[in-house]
Structure formats: structure tokens, C-alpha cells
């Protein structure tokens, strides 16, 4: 599985941004796609996931109510819409894929390159 993330940038606190992840290389019908992030002060952490077939979503507590993960199965794209951004959201964001939610969260099969989000106060 190849993943290509894009859409990062510099945003003011309170602003919005959408990250995109293009997926290729296999059939994703039963897979789970997700987003992780890593800042210099923290280890890489789970942000959100979505099952490819049913679109079932999971979110980390810090982003619940502010971030929305979605997918476009026809385009093989995964998105992360981020609202009410905070300086604490500043990190490199990575998209990832795995065969189950548990495996995705603990040991994804595939990673995309990161895209930097910086939220200024």
C-alpha cells in the first residue's frame, strides 16, 4: 500500500484545514485507514481512523468534536477535516493503513510521508 499525504500548512488558532491522503497499490475493501501525528515533544499518537467499507470512525479524545475523518472510495482518498485548531495540534501528520482498527492503532502496515501542520497562537 502506498500512501501520499498532503494539505499541511500554517494556520492561526481557531482556523480550519483539511489534510488529504491518496491511497494506491491494493484493494482496501476490508482495511482501515487512519491519521497519526507527532510533535517534537511527544511520541507519535493516534488521531483518527475510518473503516474503508462501512466508514466507521474512531477519534482520539483530544480531537473529538473538532476533527472529522472521511473517505472517498471511488477516488481512494482519505481526508482529515480539522476545525477549531489549537497550537497543541501542531505536529507532523501521517496517514496510515492496516487490516483492522487494533492493528492500525498499534502497528500500521503502511505509512505515508508526513505533512506539517503549524497552528499559531
Amino acid at each position: 500500500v502506498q500512501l501520499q499525504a498532503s494539505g499541511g500548512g500554517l494556520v492561526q488558532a481557531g482556523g480550519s484545514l483539511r489534510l488529504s491522503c491518496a491511497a494506491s497499490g491494493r484493494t482496501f475493501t476490508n482495511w482501515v485507514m487512519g491519521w497519526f501525528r507527532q510533535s517534537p515533544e511527544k511520541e507519535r499518537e493516534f488521531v483518527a481512523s475510518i473503516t474503508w467499507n462501512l466508514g466507521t470512525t474512531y477519534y482520539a479524545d483530544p480531537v473529538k468534536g473538532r476533527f472529522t475523518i472521511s473517505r472517498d472510495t471511488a477516488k481512494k482518498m482519505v481526508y482529515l477535516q480539522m476545525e477549531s485548531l489549537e497550537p497543541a495540534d501542531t505536529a507532523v501528520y501521517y496517514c496510515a493503513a492496516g487490516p483492522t482498527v487494533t492493528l492500525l492503532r498499534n502497528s500500521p502496515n503502511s505509512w505515508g510521508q508526513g505533512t506539517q501542520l503549524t497552528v499559531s497562537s
Side-chain angles (χ1 to χ4, degrees):
V1 178
Q2 289 79 49
L3 303 171
Q4 181 83 20
S6 62
L10 175 63
V11 182
Q12 287 189 330
S16 303
L17 198 69
R18 188 178 80 162
L19 304 181
S20 300
C21 178
S24 63
R26 62 158 289 140
T27 301
F28 305 104
T29 303
N30 296 316
W31 276 49
V32 184
M33 314 297 283
W35 289 93
F36 291 74
R37 67 186 182 185
Q38 185 168 21
S39 63
E41 303 80 21
K42 297 181 180 179
E43 294 184 352
R44 191 176 297 187
E45 61 178 357
F46 168 80
V47 174
S49 66
I50 186 167
T51 60
W52 193 258
N53 51 356
L54 296 180
T56 304
T57 58
Y58 298 92
Y59 295 94
D61 286 342
V63 307
K64 281 181 181 177
R66 300 188 299 121
F67 290 12
T68 302
I69 188 171
S70 62
R71 88 273 190 250
D72 184 326
T73 56
K75 295 181 179 179
K76 292 189 176 180
M77 295 290 295
V78 180
Y79 304 101
L80 186 68
Q81 179 68 41
M82 305 179 290
E83 309 283 348
S84 302
L85 284 164
E86 305 166 353
D89 296 317
T90 295
V92 177
Y93 283 73
Y94 299 87
C95 57
T100 68
V101 173
T102 299
L103 287 175
L104 172 78
R105 295 186 65 162
N106 291 286
S107 182
N109 284 50
S110 300
W111 291 99
Q113 91 293 356
T115 185
Q116 175 73 47
L117 168 67
T118 302
V119 183
S120 63
S121 58

